[in-house]
Amino acid sequence: DKVIRMYACECLHELESWYPGLLFPLLGEEWDIGRHPNAGVPDRSAEMHSVPQGQTLGKLVNDERSHISESYAKLFFITFQHFTESVVKEYLEHEPVMAEHMESMQVW
């Protein structure tokens, strides 16, 4: 069972690598930035509610106590990285002044 879950995590990691954002719903409802009126990004609430209650990547990482926790953590962090990049990109598209400032700092 654990070996299968580890390989499943590795497969999901590859899918998230090739299709950034595919696993955003697995982050859970607390990552739903669309419900904040000042966020300036599209509403993703329909996507976020497609995951069974309590089955989030964060919970799986915290609950796993065996050697496969590394696979869960790796999957969580690549999904979190893509989520963060998406939020920053969407914010900068709506805030051109901030985008110019970021370019002048050569953050990219």
Side-chain angles (χ1 to χ4, degrees):
D1 180 47
K2 290 179 183 179
V3 174
I4 293 172
R5 287 188 288 139
M6 182 180 72
Y7 283 120
C9 283
E10 296 300 322
C11 291
L12 288 171
H13 184 273
E14 287 297 314
L15 284 170
E16 178 64 26
S17 296
W18 282 95
Y19 303 100
L22 180 68
L23 301 179
F24 286 177
L26 294 179
L27 290 174
E29 290 182 25
E30 62 270 12
W31 295 87
D32 182 10
I33 60 167
R35 64 180 160 204
H36 301 294
N38 297 327
V41 294
D43 185 9
R44 292 189 179 113
S45 56
E47 295 173 11
M48 296 298 183
H49 297 294
S50 63
V51 177
Q53 186 69 15
Q55 295 298 318
T56 65
L57 285 177
K59 182 170 179 1
L60 292 171
V61 170
N62 285 332
D63 291 350
E64 187 58 53
R65 299 289 178 226
S66 69
H67 66 283
I68 66 169
S69 62
E70 182 179 339
S71 295
Y72 280 120
K74 188 172 139 182
L75 180 59
F76 174 82
F77 284 114
I78 192 169
T79 306
F80 173 73
Q81 176 187 0
H82 290 157
F83 180 81
T84 304
E85 290 170 354
S86 173
V87 169
V88 170
K89 180 181 175 187
E90 290 174 10
Y91 177 77
L92 292 177
E93 288 174 356
H94 290 90
E95 297 291 332
V97 174
M98 181 59 93
E100 291 172 11
H101 178 68
M102 296 293 274
E103 287 176 6
S104 69
M105 293 175 52
Q106 298 179 352
V107 172
W108 306 107

